[in-house]
Amino acid sequence: LSVLVATTLSVILFKNNAKRIFESRGKQDMKFYYEQTFELTSLEELEISWKSGEIEFVPVEAEEPQIEEGAESPPFAVKILERANREITDENHAFVSHQGGTLQIDWKKQKGLFSLFNFEFIQKNLQVEIPRYVYDKLQSIHCENISGSILLYDIWPKEISLESVSGNIEAHKTQSQKADFTTISGRISVKEITADSISLSSTSGKIVAEDIDVSDFHAENISGSIEADGALKKAKAGTVSSAVTLSSSRTPHQIEAESIAGKISVYIPKESQFTAKYESISGKFYTGFQGSYTDGEFVVGNGSSQFDFSTTSGAIEVNYWQQ
């Protein structure tokens, strides 16, 4: 948790849904529209640095071209769409650059150090349209936002890194080797995600992970709760004042969970065999499993899976998973 406190000054956020931002809430206030289109022949990394407004990644359905050996890759279109709450002057358009396989999208072209802190009371929603086959072959997506939500839906890059100060992060139907989502005052919601590792971090927003298949799950929060369900191999979760709930359709090899004042609840298959080590000042440990107790330890079967729990005043529960 100390790491979380130290990292809350860094920011990145993402969010995506089948419906586009421009058709969602706030449309009536975002009357000013601007579009930029670029033709590229290669793209490996997408980086976004934004200040105020929602961000949406939009995969465009397009047939992937068949490229013969030795032939050049045909160009594909990248469309950058902005909708603002006031007229977008030339100096306030998104600044887009492409170099060495990396597409960089900035809030606007910087004119000096102090322009970093000059919002000019403009809010701009950003929509990035790229062919799906290009999105799915990206090495990485790295997105930073200060004020606004990020939505990512049905995109499969190798790595995803999203950070936000005050905005929600939502990712649905995504596959990735590594995914890192961080927000300070926003909610994190992930659903139907498959990943080797996923890290979710918030200060005051709720963290919810639904129907996930993850080898290494890590979640940290301060005043918000953590809820995760799916198929977990390894899980680590911690909060200060809220509950931690982990539900897994398969028995995790390892679980580490801690909370100061919140309850820890773990639900695993009935046939699970595990060793649960627990410590708490005033919280109780209880379970529906049949096993043997020793001082601060509960063993079921051969005790192969290792669970470690720690609270100050919160209860600790290990019980049966139900579909």
Side-chain angles (χ1 to χ4, degrees):
L1 292 177
S2 61
V3 175
L4 174 62
V5 175
T7 57
T8 53
L9 293 178
S10 62
V11 298
I12 282 185
L13 66 77
F14 93 81
K15 171 182 177 183
N16 188 326
N17 192 339
K19 283 190 175 183
R20 296 182 176 181
I21 287 174
F22 299 164
E23 298 172 353
S24 66
R25 61 187 183 279
K27 177 179 177 181
Q28 66 276 14
D29 298 324
M30 312 299 279
K31 301 177 181 179
F32 301 94
Y33 175 86
Y34 186 75
E35 176 182 320
Q36 301 181 69
T37 302
F38 303 86
E39 284 198 345
L40 306 179
T41 56
S42 66
L43 184 59
E44 296 180 357
E45 298 180 350
L46 175 59
E47 298 184 357
I48 299 176
S49 179
W50 212 244
K51 291 184 177 180
S52 179
E54 297 178 321
I55 298 173
E56 181 183 24
F57 300 89
V58 179
V60 177
E61 299 300 336
E63 185 176 354
E64 182 175 2
Q66 301 299 316
I67 305 172
E68 297 182 0
E69 185 177 354
E72 294 184 356
S73 300
F76 55 86
V78 175
K79 187 177 293 186
I80 311 299
L81 305 171
E82 298 172 86
R83 189 179 292 276
N85 60 347
R86 53 179 289 187
E87 186 175 1
I88 309 176
T89 62
D90 289 341
E91 65 177 10
N92 288 323
H93 293 317
F95 181 70
V96 183
S97 61
H98 178 254
Q99 186 175 6
T102 299
L103 182 66
Q104 175 75 43
I105 303 174
D106 292 313
W107 171 259
K108 69 175 186 177
K109 187 174 182 179
Q110 301 298 335
K111 295 183 178 181
L113 176 62
F114 291 102
S115 63
L116 291 170
F117 307 98
N118 183 9
F119 281 67
E120 298 175 321
F121 304 103
I122 294 177
Q123 183 180 22
K124 298 189 298 180
N125 288 349
L126 173 67
Q127 182 173 302
V128 183
E129 292 187 358
I130 299 176
R132 178 182 298 280
Y133 69 86
V134 178
Y135 260 130
D136 290 348
K137 291 183 178 180
L138 288 179
Q139 291 296 307
S140 66
I141 292 177
H142 181 79
C143 179
E144 298 179 356
N145 200 350
I146 293 178
S147 177
S149 297
I150 308 173
L151 181 66
L152 188 145
Y153 182 85
D154 199 14
I155 295 175
W156 299 8
K158 187 175 181 179
E159 294 187 3
I160 307 171
S161 176
L162 308 165
E163 300 175 11
S164 168
V165 174
S166 62
N168 296 331
I169 295 175
E170 296 181 19
H172 295 174
K173 294 185 178 180
T174 297
Q175 291 191 21
S176 182
Q177 290 185 10
K178 182 180 180 181
D180 295 325
F181 307 147
T182 301
T183 182
I184 293 179
S185 62
R187 169 189 170 104
I188 297 177
S189 174
V190 298
K191 187 175 183 179
E192 296 181 60
I193 285 187
T194 300
D196 291 339
S197 68
I198 184 169
S199 178
L200 310 176
S201 177
S202 181
T203 299
S204 60
K206 186 176 183 179
I207 295 176
V208 178
E210 301 177 75
D211 195 14
I212 61 175
D213 188 343
V214 179
S215 298
D216 190 354
F217 176 83
H218 186 196
E220 292 183 337
N221 212 333
I222 300 294
S223 61
S225 61
I226 297 173
E227 298 177 9
D229 74 78
L232 308 174
K233 288 185 179 180
K234 180 181 178 181
K236 184 176 182 179
T239 71
V240 173
S241 59
S242 293
V244 174
T245 303
L246 303 174
S247 302
S248 181
S249 60
R250 64 186 176 203
T251 306
H253 301 315
Q254 181 179 354
I255 295 177
E256 294 181 37
E258 62 176 325
S259 179
I260 294 178
K263 178 183 177 182
I264 296 174
S265 302
V266 172
Y267 302 99
I268 53 178
K270 191 173 183 178
E271 64 274 12
S272 298
Q273 302 183 69
F274 60 90
T275 298
K277 296 180 179 179
Y278 55 92
E279 59 179 355
S280 180
I281 294 176
S282 60
K284 302 294 184 180
F285 176 86
Y286 57 100
T287 179
F289 285 89
Q290 299 299 312
S292 58
Y293 286 92
T294 56
D295 186 23
E297 187 173 283
F298 178 71
V299 180
V300 176
N302 62 17
S304 55
S305 294
Q306 299 295 312
F307 302 160
D308 290 278
F309 306 118
S310 176
T311 73
T312 299
S313 60
I316 302 168
E317 176 189 6
V318 180
N319 238 316
Y320 302 139
W321 172 82
Q322 295 182 348
Q323 189 171 3

